[in-house]
Amino acid sequence: MKNIIVLVSGGGTNLQALIDASERGEIKDGKITCVISSNPNAYALERAKNHNIATDIIRRKDYASLDEYDKALTELLKSKNADLVVLAGFMTILGTGVIRAFENRIINIHPSLIPSFCGEGFYGLKVHEQALARGVKVTGATAHFVNEVCDGGPIIIQKAVEIQNGDTPEILQKRVMEQAEWKILPKAVSLFCEDKIKVNGNTTVIAE
């Protein structure tokens, strides 16, 4: 049984999707053992407590430099015996130390079909604003491993979502979450815990 540590900063809707999937038995060979927040007021912490999941807090502003924060976060994750780290709306940049310490063991969910509408500056509603502005007919979400390139790590799963007439960024954001993010993030986590993901360079092969 692998220890899953979830990093959060806000409301925790993706965390809730993981918790719900876990309670339905859809995350095999893994358990969410701790939720760590960069924001002590994040509602995600309440979600964790409501399901008897341990919590911790590590704030970027408590450290003089990103390097110090990076070291502290790395040590915290090691102290929690993290097998897998999941970014579920974690709004603090990860340093190279933690990325290297947990190479191909950090999963992020991004609200577009990478490589479209991703990279530095593309987060939250901005992603959906750009998709609508470009006039694409299909968007979606991507679960991927984290490396030192923003949104550049190996892709695990993608799911497409159709854009509809009259969509606003807010409407599209909700549809992408409901139809894609909340489905593929738990699936990617389960695949990892079941040892079904093989990484070849910057690509993955998923075992049947």
Side-chain angles (χ1 to χ4, degrees), residues 16-33:
Q16 190 66 53
L18 288 168
I19 292 171
D20 292 346
S22 179
E23 292 182 348
R24 290 193 301 264
E26 294 170 10
I27 296 179
K28 298 169 185 173
D29 301 329
K31 180 181 179 182
I32 302 169
T33 54

Side-chain angles (χ1 to χ4, degrees), residues 14-73:
N14 277 316
L15 168 63
Q16 190 66 53
L18 288 168
I19 292 171
D20 292 346
S22 179
E23 292 182 348
R24 290 193 301 264
E26 294 170 10
I27 296 179
K28 298 169 185 173
D29 301 329
K31 180 181 179 182
I32 302 169
T33 54
C34 187
V35 172
I36 299 174
S37 179
S38 61
N39 171 15
N41 299 314
Y43 183 67
L45 293 170
E46 293 302 314
R47 295 181 189 271
K49 291 171 184 174
N50 290 339
H51 293 267
N52 300 311
I53 299 170
T55 62
D56 213 325
I57 295 164
I58 182 165
R59 301 189 302 177
R60 169 67 181 86
K61 67 180 183 180
D62 291 338
Y63 298 87
S65 66
L66 177 59
D67 187 51
E68 287 181 24
Y69 179 79
D70 184 36
K71 289 177 181 176
L73 179 57

Side-chain angles (χ1 to χ4, degrees), residues 80-92:
K80 303 293 184 183
N81 298 313
D83 294 306
L84 174 66
V85 180
V86 181
L87 306 184
F90 191 62
M91 301 307 292
T92 303

Side-chain angles (χ1 to χ4, degrees), residues 106-137:
I106 304 173
I107 290 177
N108 182 50
I109 186 79
H110 182 76
S112 77
L113 297 174
I114 292 174
S116 295
F117 313 115
C118 68
E120 193 170 344
F122 282 91
Y123 60 89
L125 277 177
K126 293 182 180 181
V127 176
H128 306 294
E129 288 168 355
Q130 289 299 311
L132 291 173
R134 183 61 186 85
V136 296
K137 303 305 182 185

